[in-house]
Short mmCIF file of all heavy atoms in Angstrom, two decimals:
data_model
loop_
_atom_site.label_atom_id
_atom_site.label_comp_id
_atom_site.label_asym_id
_atom_site.label_seq_id
_atom_site.Cartn_x
_atom_site.Cartn_y
_atom_site.Cartn_z
N ALA A 44 -48.75 46.14 -26.44
CA ALA A 44 -49.38 46.47 -27.72
C ALA A 44 -48.75 45.63 -28.84
O ALA A 44 -49.46 45.07 -29.69
CB ALA A 44 -49.23 47.95 -28.03
N PHE A 45 -47.41 45.54 -28.84
CA PHE A 45 -46.75 44.71 -29.85
C PHE A 45 -47.14 43.25 -29.70
O PHE A 45 -47.29 42.53 -30.67
CB PHE A 45 -45.22 44.86 -29.76
CG PHE A 45 -44.69 46.04 -30.52
CD1 PHE A 45 -43.91 46.99 -29.90
CD2 PHE A 45 -44.94 46.19 -31.88
CE1 PHE A 45 -43.39 48.08 -30.61
CE2 PHE A 45 -44.44 47.27 -32.60
CZ PHE A 45 -43.67 48.22 -31.95
N ASP A 46 -47.30 42.81 -28.44
CA ASP A 46 -47.69 41.42 -28.19
C ASP A 46 -49.06 41.13 -28.79
O ASP A 46 -49.26 40.10 -29.45
CB ASP A 46 -47.69 41.18 -26.68
CG ASP A 46 -47.83 39.69 -26.36
OD1 ASP A 46 -47.11 38.90 -27.00
OD2 ASP A 46 -48.63 39.34 -25.50
N LYS A 47 -50.01 42.04 -28.62
CA LYS A 47 -51.35 41.86 -29.19
C LYS A 47 -51.30 41.89 -30.72
O LYS A 47 -51.96 41.10 -31.39
CB LYS A 47 -52.29 42.94 -28.66
CG LYS A 47 -52.66 42.76 -27.21
CD LYS A 47 -53.57 43.85 -26.72
CE LYS A 47 -53.85 43.67 -25.25
NZ LYS A 47 -54.62 44.77 -24.69
N MET A 48 -50.51 42.83 -31.25
CA MET A 48 -50.38 42.90 -32.71
C MET A 48 -49.75 41.62 -33.25
O MET A 48 -50.14 41.10 -34.30
CB MET A 48 -49.54 44.11 -33.11
CG MET A 48 -50.25 45.45 -32.86
SD MET A 48 -49.17 46.88 -33.03
CE MET A 48 -48.66 46.79 -34.71
N ALA A 49 -48.76 41.10 -32.51
CA ALA A 49 -48.11 39.86 -32.94
C ALA A 49 -49.09 38.70 -32.92
O ALA A 49 -49.10 37.86 -33.83
CB ALA A 49 -46.91 39.56 -32.05
N GLU A 50 -49.95 38.64 -31.90
CA GLU A 50 -50.95 37.57 -31.83
C GLU A 50 -51.90 37.64 -33.02
O GLU A 50 -52.24 36.62 -33.63
CB GLU A 50 -51.74 37.67 -30.52
CG GLU A 50 -50.94 37.23 -29.31
CD GLU A 50 -51.70 37.46 -28.01
OE1 GLU A 50 -52.90 37.82 -28.06
OE2 GLU A 50 -51.08 37.30 -26.94
N ARG A 51 -52.34 38.87 -33.36
CA ARG A 51 -53.24 39.01 -34.53
C ARG A 51 -52.52 38.62 -35.82
O ARG A 51 -53.09 37.96 -36.69
CB ARG A 51 -53.75 40.44 -34.61
CG ARG A 51 -54.89 40.73 -33.64
CD ARG A 51 -55.46 42.07 -33.91
NE ARG A 51 -54.44 43.06 -33.56
CZ ARG A 51 -54.64 44.16 -32.86
NH1 ARG A 51 -55.84 44.47 -32.47
NH2 ARG A 51 -53.66 44.97 -32.57
N ALA A 52 -51.24 39.02 -35.94
CA ALA A 52 -50.47 38.69 -37.15
C ALA A 52 -50.25 37.18 -37.25
O ALA A 52 -50.31 36.61 -38.34
CB ALA A 52 -49.15 39.43 -37.16
N GLU A 53 -50.00 36.53 -36.11
CA GLU A 53 -49.82 35.08 -36.11
C GLU A 53 -51.12 34.38 -36.51
O GLU A 53 -51.10 33.39 -37.25
CB GLU A 53 -49.35 34.60 -34.74
CG GLU A 53 -47.90 34.96 -34.46
CD GLU A 53 -47.51 34.80 -33.00
OE1 GLU A 53 -48.41 34.59 -32.15
OE2 GLU A 53 -46.31 34.91 -32.71
N LYS A 54 -52.25 34.92 -36.05
CA LYS A 54 -53.55 34.35 -36.44
C LYS A 54 -53.75 34.51 -37.94
O LYS A 54 -54.18 33.57 -38.63
CB LYS A 54 -54.66 35.05 -35.67
CG LYS A 54 -56.03 34.51 -36.00
CD LYS A 54 -57.13 35.24 -35.24
CE LYS A 54 -58.49 34.72 -35.67
NZ LYS A 54 -59.58 35.53 -35.15
N ALA A 55 -53.44 35.70 -38.48
CA ALA A 55 -53.57 35.94 -39.92
C ALA A 55 -52.64 35.02 -40.69
O ALA A 55 -53.00 34.50 -41.76
CB ALA A 55 -53.26 37.40 -40.25
N SER A 56 -51.43 34.79 -40.16
CA SER A 56 -50.48 33.89 -40.80
C SER A 56 -51.03 32.47 -40.86
O SER A 56 -50.92 31.79 -41.88
CB SER A 56 -49.15 33.92 -40.05
OG SER A 56 -48.24 33.01 -40.60
N ARG A 57 -51.62 32.00 -39.75
CA ARG A 57 -52.22 30.66 -39.73
C ARG A 57 -53.36 30.56 -40.74
O ARG A 57 -53.49 29.57 -41.46
CB ARG A 57 -52.70 30.31 -38.32
CG ARG A 57 -51.59 29.98 -37.35
CD ARG A 57 -52.13 29.40 -36.06
NE ARG A 57 -52.99 30.33 -35.33
CZ ARG A 57 -52.58 31.24 -34.47
NH1 ARG A 57 -51.29 31.34 -34.19
NH2 ARG A 57 -53.43 32.03 -33.86
N GLU A 58 -54.21 31.60 -40.80
CA GLU A 58 -55.32 31.60 -41.76
C GLU A 58 -54.82 31.57 -43.20
O GLU A 58 -55.36 30.85 -44.05
CB GLU A 58 -56.22 32.82 -41.54
CG GLU A 58 -57.02 32.77 -40.26
CD GLU A 58 -57.77 34.05 -39.98
OE1 GLU A 58 -57.62 35.03 -40.76
OE2 GLU A 58 -58.51 34.09 -39.00
N SER A 59 -53.76 32.35 -43.47
CA SER A 59 -53.20 32.36 -44.83
C SER A 59 -52.61 31.01 -45.18
O SER A 59 -52.77 30.51 -46.30
CB SER A 59 -52.12 33.44 -44.95
OG SER A 59 -52.67 34.72 -44.77
N SER A 60 -51.93 30.38 -44.23
CA SER A 60 -51.34 29.06 -44.47
C SER A 60 -52.42 28.02 -44.71
O SER A 60 -52.29 27.15 -45.58
CB SER A 60 -50.47 28.64 -43.30
OG SER A 60 -49.37 29.51 -43.15
N THR A 61 -53.51 28.12 -43.95
CA THR A 61 -54.63 27.20 -44.14
C THR A 61 -55.25 27.40 -45.52
O THR A 61 -55.55 26.43 -46.22
CB THR A 61 -55.70 27.43 -43.04
OG1 THR A 61 -55.08 27.26 -41.76
CG2 THR A 61 -56.85 26.46 -43.19
N ALA A 62 -55.42 28.68 -45.92
CA ALA A 62 -55.98 28.96 -47.24
C ALA A 62 -55.06 28.42 -48.33
O ALA A 62 -55.53 27.85 -49.33
CB ALA A 62 -56.19 30.46 -47.41
N LEU A 63 -53.75 28.56 -48.15
CA LEU A 63 -52.79 28.07 -49.14
C LEU A 63 -52.86 26.56 -49.27
O LEU A 63 -52.84 26.01 -50.37
CB LEU A 63 -51.37 28.51 -48.76
CG LEU A 63 -50.23 27.97 -49.64
CD1 LEU A 63 -50.41 28.43 -51.07
CD2 LEU A 63 -48.89 28.43 -49.09
N SER A 64 -52.97 25.86 -48.12
CA SER A 64 -53.00 24.40 -48.18
C SER A 64 -54.27 23.88 -48.84
O SER A 64 -54.29 22.77 -49.37
CB SER A 64 -52.86 23.81 -46.78
OG SER A 64 -53.98 24.17 -45.99
N GLY A 65 -55.34 24.70 -48.85
CA GLY A 65 -56.59 24.28 -49.48
C GLY A 65 -56.67 24.56 -50.96
O GLY A 65 -57.63 24.15 -51.63
N ILE A 66 -55.69 25.25 -51.51
CA ILE A 66 -55.72 25.59 -52.94
C ILE A 66 -55.00 24.51 -53.73
O ILE A 66 -53.90 24.10 -53.39
CB ILE A 66 -55.06 26.96 -53.19
CG1 ILE A 66 -55.90 28.05 -52.53
CG2 ILE A 66 -54.93 27.23 -54.68
CD1 ILE A 66 -55.28 29.42 -52.62
N GLU A 67 -55.63 24.07 -54.80
CA GLU A 67 -55.03 23.05 -55.66
C GLU A 67 -53.83 23.64 -56.39
O GLU A 67 -53.91 24.74 -56.94
CB GLU A 67 -56.09 22.58 -56.67
CG GLU A 67 -55.71 21.32 -57.39
CD GLU A 67 -56.86 20.82 -58.24
OE1 GLU A 67 -58.01 20.91 -57.80
OE2 GLU A 67 -56.58 20.34 -59.34
N PRO A 68 -52.70 22.94 -56.43
CA PRO A 68 -51.52 23.48 -57.11
C PRO A 68 -51.75 23.64 -58.61
O PRO A 68 -52.61 22.97 -59.18
CB PRO A 68 -50.42 22.46 -56.82
CG PRO A 68 -51.12 21.22 -56.40
CD PRO A 68 -52.45 21.63 -55.85
N VAL A 69 -50.95 24.49 -59.24
CA VAL A 69 -51.07 24.71 -60.67
C VAL A 69 -50.67 23.44 -61.40
O VAL A 69 -49.64 22.85 -61.12
CB VAL A 69 -50.15 25.88 -61.11
CG1 VAL A 69 -50.21 26.07 -62.61
CG2 VAL A 69 -50.52 27.15 -60.38
N LYS A 70 -51.52 23.02 -62.34
CA LYS A 70 -51.25 21.80 -63.09
C LYS A 70 -50.51 22.15 -64.38
O LYS A 70 -50.67 23.24 -64.91
CB LYS A 70 -52.56 21.09 -63.42
CG LYS A 70 -53.25 20.57 -62.19
CD LYS A 70 -54.49 19.81 -62.53
CE LYS A 70 -55.11 19.26 -61.25
NZ LYS A 70 -56.41 18.72 -61.41
N PRO A 71 -49.72 21.20 -64.89
CA PRO A 71 -49.06 21.44 -66.18
C PRO A 71 -50.09 21.71 -67.26
O PRO A 71 -51.21 21.20 -67.21
CB PRO A 71 -48.32 20.13 -66.45
CG PRO A 71 -48.28 19.40 -65.16
CD PRO A 71 -49.42 19.90 -64.33
N ASP A 72 -49.70 22.50 -68.23
CA ASP A 72 -50.62 22.88 -69.31
C ASP A 72 -50.26 22.10 -70.57
O ASP A 72 -49.33 22.48 -71.28
CB ASP A 72 -50.51 24.39 -69.55
CG ASP A 72 -51.40 24.85 -70.68
OD1 ASP A 72 -52.49 24.27 -70.84
OD2 ASP A 72 -51.00 25.76 -71.41
N PRO A 73 -50.96 21.00 -70.87
CA PRO A 73 -50.59 20.17 -72.01
C PRO A 73 -50.72 20.90 -73.35
O PRO A 73 -50.04 20.58 -74.30
CB PRO A 73 -51.54 18.97 -71.94
CG PRO A 73 -52.69 19.44 -71.12
CD PRO A 73 -52.13 20.47 -70.18
N GLU A 74 -51.59 21.88 -73.42
CA GLU A 74 -51.76 22.62 -74.67
C GLU A 74 -50.69 23.69 -74.85
O GLU A 74 -50.53 24.23 -75.93
CB GLU A 74 -53.14 23.30 -74.71
CG GLU A 74 -54.26 22.35 -75.02
CD GLU A 74 -54.18 21.85 -76.45
OE1 GLU A 74 -54.03 22.65 -77.38
OE2 GLU A 74 -54.28 20.63 -76.63
N GLY A 75 -49.98 24.03 -73.79
CA GLY A 75 -48.92 25.03 -73.90
C GLY A 75 -49.43 26.44 -74.07
O GLY A 75 -48.74 27.30 -74.62
N THR A 76 -50.66 26.71 -73.63
CA THR A 76 -51.24 28.04 -73.85
C THR A 76 -51.46 28.83 -72.57
O THR A 76 -52.04 29.90 -72.61
CB THR A 76 -52.59 27.92 -74.59
OG1 THR A 76 -53.44 27.07 -73.83
CG2 THR A 76 -52.41 27.35 -75.97
N SER A 77 -51.01 28.32 -71.42
CA SER A 77 -51.26 29.06 -70.18
C SER A 77 -50.40 30.31 -70.12
O SER A 77 -49.31 30.36 -70.66
CB SER A 77 -50.97 28.19 -68.96
OG SER A 77 -49.60 27.93 -68.88
N ARG A 78 -50.92 31.34 -69.45
CA ARG A 78 -50.22 32.60 -69.21
C ARG A 78 -49.71 33.26 -70.49
O ARG A 78 -48.72 33.95 -70.50
CB ARG A 78 -49.06 32.40 -68.24
CG ARG A 78 -49.51 31.91 -66.88
CD ARG A 78 -48.40 31.99 -65.88
NE ARG A 78 -48.79 31.44 -64.61
CZ ARG A 78 -49.41 32.14 -63.66
NH1 ARG A 78 -49.70 33.40 -63.84
NH2 ARG A 78 -49.73 31.57 -62.52
N GLN A 79 -50.39 33.01 -71.61
CA GLN A 79 -50.05 33.69 -72.85
C GLN A 79 -50.74 35.04 -72.87
O GLN A 79 -51.81 35.21 -72.31
CB GLN A 79 -50.51 32.87 -74.08
CG GLN A 79 -49.81 31.54 -74.22
CD GLN A 79 -48.38 31.69 -74.67
OE1 GLN A 79 -48.02 32.63 -75.35
NE2 GLN A 79 -47.54 30.76 -74.26
N LEU A 80 -50.15 35.98 -73.56
CA LEU A 80 -50.77 37.29 -73.71
C LEU A 80 -51.70 37.28 -74.91
O LEU A 80 -51.50 36.52 -75.86
CB LEU A 80 -49.69 38.35 -73.92
CG LEU A 80 -48.72 38.54 -72.76
CD1 LEU A 80 -47.66 39.55 -73.15
CD2 LEU A 80 -49.46 39.01 -71.52
N ALA A 81 -52.70 38.12 -74.86
CA ALA A 81 -53.57 38.29 -76.02
C ALA A 81 -52.78 39.03 -77.10
O ALA A 81 -51.84 39.77 -76.82
CB ALA A 81 -54.81 39.09 -75.64
N ASP A 82 -53.17 38.82 -78.35
CA ASP A 82 -52.48 39.51 -79.44
C ASP A 82 -53.08 40.90 -79.64
O ASP A 82 -53.89 41.37 -78.84
CB ASP A 82 -52.55 38.68 -80.73
CG ASP A 82 -53.97 38.52 -81.26
OD1 ASP A 82 -54.91 39.16 -80.73
OD2 ASP A 82 -54.14 37.76 -82.23
N SER A 83 -52.67 41.57 -80.72
CA SER A 83 -53.10 42.95 -80.95
C SER A 83 -54.60 43.07 -81.20
O SER A 83 -55.16 44.15 -81.11
CB SER A 83 -52.34 43.54 -82.15
OG SER A 83 -52.52 42.73 -83.30
N GLU A 84 -55.26 41.95 -81.50
CA GLU A 84 -56.71 41.96 -81.71
C GLU A 84 -57.48 41.52 -80.46
O GLU A 84 -58.70 41.43 -80.48
CB GLU A 84 -57.08 41.03 -82.89
CG GLU A 84 -56.38 41.39 -84.19
CD GLU A 84 -56.73 42.79 -84.67
OE1 GLU A 84 -57.93 43.10 -84.74
OE2 GLU A 84 -55.81 43.56 -84.95
N GLY A 85 -56.75 41.20 -79.39
CA GLY A 85 -57.40 40.80 -78.14
C GLY A 85 -57.71 39.32 -78.05
O GLY A 85 -58.38 38.88 -77.13
N ASN A 86 -57.23 38.51 -79.00
CA ASN A 86 -57.50 37.07 -78.97
C ASN A 86 -56.35 36.32 -78.31
O ASN A 86 -55.18 36.66 -78.50
CB ASN A 86 -57.70 36.54 -80.39
CG ASN A 86 -59.02 36.98 -80.98
OD1 ASN A 86 -60.04 36.96 -80.32
ND2 ASN A 86 -58.99 37.40 -82.22
N PHE A 87 -56.71 35.27 -77.54
CA PHE A 87 -55.73 34.39 -76.93
C PHE A 87 -55.51 33.19 -77.84
O PHE A 87 -56.37 32.84 -78.64
CB PHE A 87 -56.20 33.93 -75.55
CG PHE A 87 -56.21 35.04 -74.54
CD1 PHE A 87 -57.34 35.82 -74.36
CD2 PHE A 87 -55.09 35.32 -73.79
CE1 PHE A 87 -57.35 36.85 -73.44
CE2 PHE A 87 -55.09 36.36 -72.86
CZ PHE A 87 -56.22 37.13 -72.70
N ALA A 88 -54.37 32.54 -77.70
CA ALA A 88 -54.06 31.38 -78.53
C ALA A 88 -55.03 30.25 -78.22
O ALA A 88 -55.29 29.93 -77.07
CB ALA A 88 -52.63 30.93 -78.28
N ALA A 89 -55.54 29.62 -79.28
CA ALA A 89 -56.52 28.54 -79.12
C ALA A 89 -55.85 27.20 -78.83
O ALA A 89 -56.47 26.31 -78.27
CB ALA A 89 -57.37 28.43 -80.39
N ASN A 90 -54.59 27.05 -79.22
CA ASN A 90 -53.88 25.79 -79.00
C ASN A 90 -52.38 26.06 -79.00
O ASN A 90 -51.94 27.19 -79.25
CB ASN A 90 -54.26 24.75 -80.05
CG ASN A 90 -54.07 25.26 -81.46
OD1 ASN A 90 -53.02 25.79 -81.81
ND2 ASN A 90 -55.12 25.13 -82.27
N ALA A 91 -51.60 25.02 -78.71
CA ALA A 91 -50.15 25.19 -78.60
C ALA A 91 -49.52 25.62 -79.92
O ALA A 91 -48.57 26.38 -79.95
CB ALA A 91 -49.51 23.90 -78.11
N GLU A 92 -50.06 25.12 -81.04
CA GLU A 92 -49.52 25.47 -82.35
C GLU A 92 -49.63 26.98 -82.59
O GLU A 92 -48.66 27.63 -82.96
CB GLU A 92 -50.28 24.71 -83.44
CG GLU A 92 -49.76 24.94 -84.83
CD GLU A 92 -50.57 24.22 -85.89
OE1 GLU A 92 -51.80 24.19 -85.79
OE2 GLU A 92 -49.95 23.69 -86.82
#
Side-chain angles (χ1 to χ4, degrees):
F45 275 125
D46 191 46
K47 288 179 183 174
M48 290 169 62
E50 287 174 9
R51 281 188 293 226
E53 286 166 351
K54 181 181 176 190
S56 177
R57 285 191 298 273
E58 290 173 357
S59 296
S60 296
T61 303
L63 175 60
S64 64
I66 294 175
E67 194 173 322
V69 177
K70 293 183 178 170
D72 178 34
E74 283 292 311
T76 56
S77 68
R78 299 191 184 274
Q79 295 288 331
L80 297 176
D82 65 8
S83 56
E84 303 299 309
N86 288 317
F87 291 90
N90 54 50
E92 183 183 41

